[in-house]
Structure formats: structure tokens, C-alpha cells
Amino acid sequence: MISLIKAAVGGLTVISRTHGLQQAPLHSYLKICAAGLKTFPVIPDYSNVVLPEKPKLKFLNKVPNLKKAKKERKKLRDIQGPARAANTFTCGQYAIVAMGGGYLHWGHLEMIRLTINRKIDAHTTFARWRINAPYKPITRKGLGQRMGGGKGAIDHYVTPVRYGRLIVELGGKVELGEIEHVLTEVAKKLPFPAKVMSRESLEEMHRKQKEMEENNQNPWTFKQIAQGNMMGIRKVLSPFDLRNNGRFTGKFHFPGRV
Amino acid sequence: MSATLCVKLQRNQGWLPLIQSVRHGSKAVTRHKKPVHILKQKLIAVTQYIPPARTVPPGAYPSEEKHVQEDNEFVLLLKKNLEEVFEECKMIAVVQTNACSVDDMLMLRHRLCKHSIKIRFFPNQVMRSFLSNSVYSNMAPLFIGPTVLFVSKEPKVKEMMSALRVSPQMTLLGACIDNTLLSSQGVVSYAKLPSLTVVQGELVSGLTMLTSRTAFMLQRHPAHLSALLQQYIKQQSPDDGAEATPKAEEAS
């Protein structure tokens, strides 16, 4: 189609050129106006996209269905460092990726679910949870209660999220531009820095990080110094730092470090 | 705080710090970043990422090896034409056309055509590639920007200058006249010279005048001739030779 139009336009210009030459050999400065001609980008191919039966986000329980609810310790480790699960795409194309650690409440999950289910077109798009329903119990002492008397009762449940974890995954016969505003709107409201990423941009981020590690011109690396315990630096480093090479402090991520 | 009390009691025991920090156990803070230990801060500062030196993007500099461009048929034809022009024409002037409209060019062409001076257009690239291989290679710096050639088989510089005076948008850059490269000033002074026949006539008349003068002298009275010779001898004497010369000329 496009080639046909191009051929037609080319033929036109040739004709006009020869015509101009015949009429005025001296005034052979002929301007060809190409206004109104436009080459459209190729439409993406969605032939191999299969939409699931239930394209919308599932409702997540506020409280897990346990026989005996047990109080747990704080266990801050579950939001520290990089995510070890659900850090790559499975079936979708676009996702909200956590850029730091944090706890998601049931309210957050409801906000995500309602916003996305309302704004996406279920005929072309599907959405999938990449996190579990709240499972970590948080205890609180009752209002006006004196200190002491043991640990408080379970108040609510949360979902811990680490850096690099996908929260929600979207896919289907859509481009990023169509759903980006919905996802950014959701990502802004999360209790940790979050980013909207596509499959390609996430891969690009991983590739960039790897490239930085390979092409680092600094002869002194965190790993080398920490493992060698140079000048007794291990005194101030934790096993957590040894594992992550100083890229994290607690749930926070230092961008631009290797 | 409790240490301050102890200081009074144990004054002679030695120095103790007045304020001692008390540790309260580690707090599980997740809201903000914990203050980083100074040694760890230093370690993080030392092990910053240093990117590699920026590589030169491809195409930023011209390639080292010179790519030899194949001349197409049209360029070859133009070169052949140029060769003919340089062989046939005695006057080749290089003129820059600054915003010269087609009408002006037509008028100029018409005016020059009266004196059988032609205007030839050649692309600068073709011109330079031709000049680099020929004996006229010193003309190459003239071909910058929009330039045209005024060519004629006879060196009609005067006529060309008068035509150029009318059209100020044409600037004369230089010319090759009779296989001599001239600057624009040189061309102007060349145009002021009288024509070859006039100069030849002057020369002939000068030469004939000397002989006619000698014959005239010999035909005069011998007494006049002897007087003149005497005066000439007097002038040759070293006393007043320098002063007498102009007088002798006047006398002759």
C-alpha cells in the first residue's frame, strides 16, 4: 500500500520535472509540495495474543483464611534488598515495578484493583496480580491501653514488597501509551517509589545494570573491599551489605550504584 | 548523666568523659534512611561507579582511509568540457555570483555575448577534481561558493570589466589570461594597459625617431656639429659633468 503511494508520488515528481524543463529550461527551479502525504507507522501484530477468560483483577481477601492466626515478629528483612520472586514478566507486557521496599495494605490493593478494572477495556486488555493477598499480621495495642501486658492483638494484614517486584501485570491488544496514564496514576499512590515498565524497558534496565558492572572504571569495588575486609571495614558492614554490595540500605535502593 | 556524679568522687583517679552516650538498642525504623556510619559513607564514596570514557560516535570524524569516488558519466563529460575550455580559451575569469537572479544573468550573458565572451557553469567539485590533476592547480582556491566562468578565445579583459561594472552582484575573484594567473587587482591593471598594436606602434616610432634624429644632426651645418661636440667634451670633464648634463640636453 505504502510502496504504491510512494511509486505514484515518484511518478508525479518525475512528470512535473520533465514538464518544467520543457517549458523553461532556465527557470528549472520547480518546487514540489508534498503536503498532505503521510506515512503511517506499521500497526502492531496482536495475532498471537490470547486473552484469558477473566481479564480483570481478582478480589483479594483482606484477612487470610487461617485456622489459627499467629502473631509474628516484625521481620523487616522481608522488605529489604532486591526481590527474589516475581521480578520478571510472565504473560503480560506492562507492569508496575517497585523501586523500593514497602508494605501494601488491603486498601492499596483495593485502590489498584478498582482503578485498573474501571479504566481498562476488558475486551482488549487483561490484568494479573503479581503479589499475594495480605498475609503478614501486624499487631496493635488497643486505644487507651497501658504499656505492658504482652504483645497486642493482630490488627491487620499486609503484603511485603521488595525492590524490583512486579505488582500488577497488564497485557493484551494494547500499547503502552493507552494504559500508561492509568498505571502511573496507581503507581503514584503506592507506599514506595514505583515505576511503569514494559517488558523491553525492564530488560533494558537489567542490561544497563549488567553493563555498568562490567564496564566500571573504578578499580575499587565494594565487593572486593568488603570481602577482603580492608582496614577492618567489616566492623561497620552487615551481611546484608555483603550480599548486595552496598546497593541497598534497608528497604531503600541507591540508584546508579554497582 | 550519672557519670558527672562519679567525677566528683573519683577526681584523683584520672580523667573520665563528662558525657557518656547511652545506647538504647536498635530501633526498627523503616520510614527514613538510617544514618550511615562514617566509614561506610567513605566506602560508598570510594566505590562510586565511574563510567568508561565516552567513545567517539561513528561518523563524528571523517574516515581515515580516503574513499575513492567513482566518477559517473556526467562528471566525465563535464571534465571533458572543462579540458576543452582550458585548451581553447585564452581568458578564463572566475566570478562569484552573489544573489544573482536569472534576469540579471540573462542581461549579463547578452552583454558579454556581444564581445563573444561566454558564461560557463561547472560544479565546484568537478572543477576542483579537474584542477587537482592539471597544471592550473593554483586556481583551485578560487572555486568556493557559487562561481561561474567567463571564457573567451581572445583576452578581452577591458570589455569584460565594463560589463562587470554594470552588475555589482558579480565579484571578480581572479583570472587566468594567456596562461598567467592574475588576481582581481591584476586583472584591473591588465585592463588599463593599452592594446598590443598601440604599444607596438609606440615602440616602432621610438626606434625610428632615434635614427631620424641622427640623420638630421648629420645633415646640419658642420660648425654647429663641432660646437656641440666641444660642449660634449666639456661636459665629460670631471669638474662639472653632473651639472652640465641637463643643459646639454636642453641645448641639443
Side-chain angles (χ1 to χ4, degrees), chain B residues 89-107:
Chain B
C89 301
K90 285 192 170 179
M91 186 186 80
I92 300 165
V94 185
V95 180
Q96 195 163 14
T97 60
N98 298 321
C100 182
S101 66
V102 179
D103 293 339
D104 293 338
M105 190 56 98
L106 256 181
M107 292 296 291

Side-chain angles (χ1 to χ4, degrees), chain A residues 76 216-218 241 251 257, chain B residues 30 40 46-48 50:
Chain A
L76 285 180
N216 191 6
Q217 299 297 304
N218 198 341
D241 289 324
K251 64 176 183 177
R257 275 194 67 82
Chain B
T30 59
K40 196 179 165 190
V46 162
T47 57
Q48 285 280 12
I50 298 176

Side-chain angles (χ1 to χ4, degrees), chain B residues 113-127:
Chain B
C113 210
K114 282 181 194 167
H115 308 293
S116 72
I117 302 174
K118 286 179 198 163
I119 299 180
R120 301 295 298 270
F121 295 89
F122 289 104
N124 281 351
Q125 278 188 346
V126 177
M127 200 64 169

